Each structure stands twice: as structure tokens, then as C-alpha cells.
Amino acid sequence: MRTVMQQVVFVAGALALLLGCDARATSTDPQISIPRSDQKSLEFESCGATVHCADALRCFNQTCRRTTRSRVGDYLAALGSSLRARGRLPDAVAAYADALARYQSDKLDAPPDIDCAYGGALAASKGKKEQTELAARVLHRCLLAVPKGSALYAQALSDLTVLADLGLDPAALARDEAADLYLTKPPVRKSADAVVISTTASPAPTGKTFGVVLERIGQADLRPALLACWEAYATAAQRDDLSVSFGIKSRYVASEYDDEPGYYGLTFTPGTASGALAAAEQCVRDALESLKKVDGLRDNVATRLTITMK
């Protein structure tokens, strides 16, 4: 016959075996399997709990993420996201660059999500060729750093498609390290027939007749000369949109002869652009030489003219 104490020990042992040898477990406890270290999820891979993530990562919203981050760097990245959403792409690019610089100054590795967002902003801004090359390089780096099935990977591929018409060679993305150059194919140039030319004046002139100047710029006989400026700029800057801005004034010019009436003439003041854009602006002003005298103009005006071709 077993003693009462022996029976108690036997029952306790049986219960322990039923509960997985954990005397603290209950029948309602979730069963979390702990994978081997070589099976743990990497950054941005899925997880059910932090034990499923590799070292230095924690599980947030079923995704493994690092917790060692720069708070200021993350703020600057959030600022970049906000600026991009508001269409302020150059400011967004600068904010993301500042975020990466902050991580470097804090002696922390920059998270791939910030790098990916930086590359996306660079690609969307369609800047000069050097900036577009940088966009491709950063987005390629993003592809190499994030899981292939992640949303970041898909977004990086989508951002890279923006560079297709600018000469991106997708073969460069097959490499497991950065390429020397990415934009090695001829860019797909927009047809000149599809270019839309628009003109605005700021501040808006108060004179009733200055509108004839804007109408005159939009007439067909000036289009070939303006499109030649667009073609030259598109080749030099590797982009299909051109916007130039310069000062314009109209004033009454008396005739040299008593028997001829005077007229209102136009003069142009150079803008502050540099490089290829300055050359394009000069080209546009030369194309508008025929506007020195415009029939129907009867106002003294000083404003700034912006001509956009895209």
C-alpha cells in the first residue's frame, strides 16, 4: 500500500508530465516554439513573438525590428516622409540625407527602411544625372538589405521603375554588390509633339492688356524656337521638364518720327539659374525676341514670367 505522501508525489509528477514538465503551465497557455538560432527571422521578416527574431531584434506587429535606433534620425526620416507627401521632394531628399547623417554621427548603422525611403525620394525627384545615379544605387542597396517578400522590397522595385525612361539598365540590379553605373541605356525621350507649354506671370499684372503677351507666347509660330530650348535642356540635364523664370517689363516707347505713334515695348531681365538651366533660360529669352513689340499692349508692367515645358 502506498502511503499518502507517495500518492501525492505520484499525482504531482503525472500532472507535470501532462503539462510539458512545467509545473507553472496551464491548459490555456499558448504553446510558443523556440526556433534554433539559424532558423530565427531576420529584420523585417515575420514573427509570432520576439523569441522568433534574431538577436537584437524584437517582434512588433508580426515583424522583426531593431530597437537600437537614433531618435533624432528617426524624426528626420519622418519629416522626409511628411515633406514627400506634400510634394516637397527636394526638401524630403535633404531630410532623409540628414537622417542618415544623424545615424552616422550617433555611431549607429542606418536602418534599411530609412535608406529605402531616401532612394525613393531621390528617384521621384528626377534630378540631375548624378542624383538619379545615386537613387539607383541607394535603391539597389535597399533591395540587398531587406527580405525579398517584404513590402520594402516591393516598394523599392516600384521606385526603380521611375528610372526606366532615364536609362536604368536592370541587369545592374542582378549583382550582389553596388554597380559602378546604373543609367547606361539611352534615355527614352519624350516626343516634342507631346510637350505642353504654359506661361504664368507673378505677381499677376493689374493692367488690362498684359494678357496679350501671354497669348502671344502660346501662339504656334513661337513653338519651334521654344521646343528647341527644351530639346537642348532635356539632352543636357537628362530630364523632360523645363521651367525657366525671368523678369519682364513693358513701357511706352516714343516714336522717333512725328508722324508715327509710339508703342509699348518689352524688356527681359535674366534670372538666377545656373548651369544647363541658365543656358535654357537664355535660349527662351532669345526665342522671345519677337515680343519686343506686341500689338494691343497698353500697360506699364513689371513682373516675373515663368515658362514651363513638360
Side-chain angles (χ1 to χ4, degrees):
M1 295 292 291
R2 294 177 179 173
T3 66
V4 173
M5 182 59 68
Q6 288 175 325
Q7 290 177 343
V8 170
V9 170
F10 175 79
V11 171
L15 286 173
L17 287 173
L18 289 173
L19 296 176
C21 298
D22 185 353
R24 295 169 301 172
T26 69
S27 60
T28 59
D29 280 347
Q31 300 302 304
I32 300 176
S33 59
I34 301 177
R36 301 194 312 266
S37 59
D38 61 339
Q39 295 177 326
K40 290 190 175 184
S41 296
L42 302 178
E43 189 171 19
F44 300 112
E45 291 184 338
S46 62
C47 57
T50 296
V51 294
H52 297 151
C53 298
D55 293 344
L57 302 177
R58 293 190 64 185
C59 187
F60 295 100
N61 297 323
Q62 289 76 55
T63 303
C64 293
R65 296 181 180 273
R66 69 180 68 185
T67 56
T68 304
R69 300 186 67 114
S70 166
R71 190 170 296 144
V72 175
D74 287 348
Y75 163 77
L76 292 168
L79 176 62
S81 176
S82 175
L83 290 168
R84 182 177 178 182
R86 286 180 276 162
R88 295 170 54 182
L89 284 170
D91 294 333
V93 168
Y96 283 124
D98 288 344
L100 295 174
R102 179 66 190 213
Y103 264 89
Q104 185 175 17
S105 67
D106 288 345
K107 296 181 172 54
L108 295 173
D109 292 334
D113 52 317
I114 294 181
D115 218 21
C116 296
Y118 177 45
L122 284 167
S125 62
K126 291 186 178 181
K128 296 180 180 179
K129 187 172 182 179
E130 295 80 4
Q131 180 170 311
T132 310
E133 278 284 358
L134 178 60
R137 182 178 299 273
V138 173
L139 288 170
H140 186 199
R141 189 167 67 207
C142 168
L143 290 178
L144 296 175
V146 301
K148 291 181 173 60
S150 66
L152 288 173
Y153 188 88
Q155 184 60 53
L157 289 174
S158 178
D159 290 335
L160 280 163
T161 63
V162 175
L163 308 179
D165 288 348
L166 302 180
L168 174 67
D169 184 358
L173 303 176
R175 300 162 57 104
D176 290 334
E177 65 280 333
D180 293 330
L181 291 173
Y182 292 86
L183 305 179
T184 57
K185 300 180 73 175
V188 178
R189 188 67 69 224
K190 185 177 184 178
S191 170
D193 293 338
V195 174
V196 176
I197 302 175
S198 59
T199 308
T200 57
S202 180
T206 56
K208 295 181 180 180
T209 64
F210 188 78
V212 299
V213 176
L214 303 184
E215 293 173 4
R216 182 71 185 83
I217 294 174
Q219 290 178 4
D221 62 314
L222 287 177
R223 184 176 173 86
L226 291 174
L227 287 180
C229 301
W230 172 83
E231 289 274 9
Y233 176 76
T235 300
Q238 297 294 303
R239 54 186 300 164
D240 287 340
D241 58 309
L242 169 62
S243 181
V244 297
S245 183
F246 49 86
I248 182 173
K249 292 182 179 180
S250 67
R251 64 182 181 86
Y252 181 77
V253 180
S255 174
E256 297 179 0
Y257 306 100
D258 294 338
D259 57 346
E260 290 184 1
Y263 65 93
Y264 282 82
L266 296 175
T267 57
F268 304 119
T269 304
T272 58
S274 59
L277 191 58
E281 179 200 307
Q282 179 65 58
C283 179
V284 170
R285 285 191 281 114
D286 291 343
L288 299 183
E289 278 297 312
S290 62
L291 296 185
K292 294 292 185 177
K293 180 179 179 181
V294 180
D295 293 337
L297 181 61
R298 296 289 184 272
D299 296 306
N300 290 319
V301 173
T303 186
R304 191 166 188 81
L305 204 63
T306 298
I307 298 179
T308 301
M309 290 176 267
K310 60 182 180 179

